Amino acid sequence: MITYLEFEKPVAELETRIKELKASAGEGTVNIDAEVKKLEAKVEAQLKAIYAKLTPWQKTQVARHPARPHLKDITAALITDFTPLAGDRKFGEDCAIIGGPGRFRGRPVMVMGHEKGSDTASRLKHNFGMAKPEGYRKAVRLMEMADRFGLPVISFVDTSGAFPGIHAEERGQAEAIARSTEACLKLGTPMVAAIVGEGGSGGAVALATANRIIMLEHSVYAVISPEGCASILWRTSDKAADAAAAMKQTAQDLKALNLIDVIVPEPVGGAHRSPQAAIKMLGDAVETQLATMDGMGADAVRDDRRAKFLAMGR
């Protein structure tokens, strides 16, 4: 069952009408195929029109849609022989970040990313994709292993931010994020980061300081959530839409500012409507970006990444 966003109400009404027609056709002999096709064409046209002019706040809502492809969906579709590795060898396991070696279209790689969960039980298990220090220290362990064995790293980012709880702070959340960011920068193998939903704050940067950064068309990437920004600037989260526009957090804004490299198109109506098609396009984009770094040595990879980040804002 599709979860409709507020601005998708016209589409919801049309699709409800299609369901009613199909249900009534099963009870009688009236042929409603022509009417159904007409309504389906109208739905597609409505979706194209709506998604062509989404505001930054509406894009934020799309990026948070519960049916968007999650890390587990992506690894199941794109990664073979995937072996998730657990623990940071210092404190414990963090299920918000999942990672391990596998094969991406025949190429041995190290994969890691945020997992938000898809139902109540799994969201609680994965802490809604908000990692604690042990999650980022696990990421460091995986990157060091990738460096040791010459494996390219692919990260899939989807988090509202690192977990802000007191226990995470006691265990050194800021230091763990900084170490993970440092590990990205020191990595001697190519790294491609894909923002697939929300890219929130340092919790996202810690897994996205890569040679190539790509974003799904309706994903967002910012230093803080729109609600958090609005609460600081206007003392109310009611101004979240204004904050979303001001922060330039959409893929289109970030590409214009040269902060990301590629925008990956999504199916009509967003990735949540056709997850497998979206994952296929995402995989093609990752493969293309990895190919641009084939044959580069460790020093060249580090220099490429360093030049990319030093050029930002200049």
Side-chain angles (χ1 to χ4, degrees), residues 184-204:
C184 291
L185 289 168
K186 288 169 64 177
L187 191 62
T189 59
M191 181 175 183
V192 176
I195 316 296
V196 296
E198 283 185 279
S201 193

Side-chain angles (χ1 to χ4, degrees), residues 193-213:
I195 316 296
V196 296
E198 283 185 279
S201 193
V205 172
L207 266 61
T209 311
N211 295 83
R212 305 286 184 270
I213 304 170

